Amino acid sequence: MRELAGRVALVTGTAHGIGATIAAALEAHGATVHAHDRDTVDVSNTQQVEALVAEIGRIDILVNNAGGVVGQVGRPLEEVSDDDWRAVVDANLTSTFVCTRAVAPGMKEHRHGRIVNISSGAGRSVSLTGIQAYASAKAGQLGFTRQTAHELGPFGITVNAIAPGFVLSNPTSIAQWERYGADGQQRLLEAIATRRLGTPEDIANGVLFFVADEASWVTGQVLSIDGGHSIF
């Protein structure tokens, strides 16, 4: 299947797990993929992102996957510093804004674009991490998705979001899973309709749907890929 042949994609947050799998899936379906992580570009930094986009040239697909909890764990609100808050918001929400703003002019010029924001079930409900800034930033991504879908739709650009459930995709999620212990792990599995955790491939499949030509009339939507966790 090479249905994305000729398309150019920029995927952020590709060091491992979900981001790396999304990049590989897009490439397998024919896209030319530019995969970047914080080791190569700070996607919350306007100058670095604009330089990257100028270097790439035409970009047809943007997947804003960069984010995470930047090494933090859940703490009482009064123990969270301003710097703690900003670090998580910048990694998740500011990066989405900066990257989307950078690619929008080119997509408008070509009257085509696909933007997919990887949010979280934390953005629709509460975060299992207990990190206030993470839940807030992920919810902000969903609001940003709807607003930019409305703004960019007349230019042939769709903007959608995916809200993944619990996926063992990186050292942080693995450590979180291990902290639950056997009883906590069982409780989480019992709250998932399919009784299993997600895989990075599950999330990548959702991205492939949103970027396909067949999804040209789908925009401003949030797809929960969580095994049914959000229906409870």
Side-chain angles (χ1 to χ4, degrees):
M1 297 176 64
R2 307 291 289 180
E3 68 271 23
L4 298 178
R7 304 294 193 196
V8 178
L10 170 60
V11 184
T12 68
T14 58
H16 43 57
I18 290 174
T21 303
I22 290 170
L26 291 171
E27 189 171 47
H29 283 254
T32 298
V33 179
H34 296 266
H36 286 274
D37 200 74
R38 60 186 178 184
D39 291 336
T40 58
V41 61
D42 177 358
V43 289
S44 67
N45 182 290
T46 294
Q47 289 71 34
Q48 291 188 33
V49 170
E50 288 183 348
L52 173 64
V53 169
E55 178 184 340
I56 295 172
R58 176 168 179 162
I59 295 175
D60 304 290
I61 297 166
L62 169 66
V63 182
N64 287 307
N65 177 67
V69 299
V70 297
Q72 297 185 33
V73 295
R75 289 169 291 162
L77 185 63
E78 60 271 22
E79 296 179 12
V80 179
S81 71
D82 290 353
D83 287 343
D84 293 333
W85 175 273
R86 291 192 188 100
V88 175
V89 171
D90 281 351
N92 294 274
L93 181 56
T94 305
S95 63
T96 297
F97 161 68
V98 169
C99 291
T100 302
R101 181 180 60 184
V103 304
M107 289 183 174
K108 285 182 176 181
E109 179 183 352
H110 294 103
R111 310 291 296 187
H112 177 275
R114 297 284 185 269
I115 300 172
V116 184
N117 300 321
I118 307 301
S119 180
S120 169
R124 307 197 75 164
S125 180
V126 298
S127 176
L128 296 176
T129 68
I131 299 172
Q132 304 87 348
Y134 183 74
S136 301
K138 289 304 187 183
Q141 278 186 312
L142 300 184
F144 184 75
T145 296
R146 289 186 288 267
Q147 191 64 40
T148 50
H150 179 76
E151 177 180 344
L152 300 176
F155 301 94
I157 304 166
T158 66
V159 188
N160 293 287
I162 292 174
F166 202 103
V167 179
L168 292 177
S169 60
N170 55 52
T172 299
S173 60
I174 293 170
Q176 182 181 348
W177 173 252
E178 291 175 347
R179 283 197 301 271
Y180 291 155
D183 290 343
Q185 292 170 1
Q186 186 61 34
R187 284 194 298 272
L188 176 58
L189 287 171
E190 289 175 353
I192 299 172
T194 58
R195 298 299 192 272
R196 72 167 176 88
L197 301 181
T199 68
E201 289 75 16
D202 291 321
I203 312 307
N205 287 336
V207 172
L208 290 174
F209 165 70
F210 278 137
V211 304
D213 288 343
E214 290 81 359
S216 63
W217 210 43
V218 180
T219 195
Q221 302 306 304
V222 181
L223 175 61
S224 290
I225 302 181
D226 60 6
H229 190 209
S230 57
I231 65 177
F232 288 94

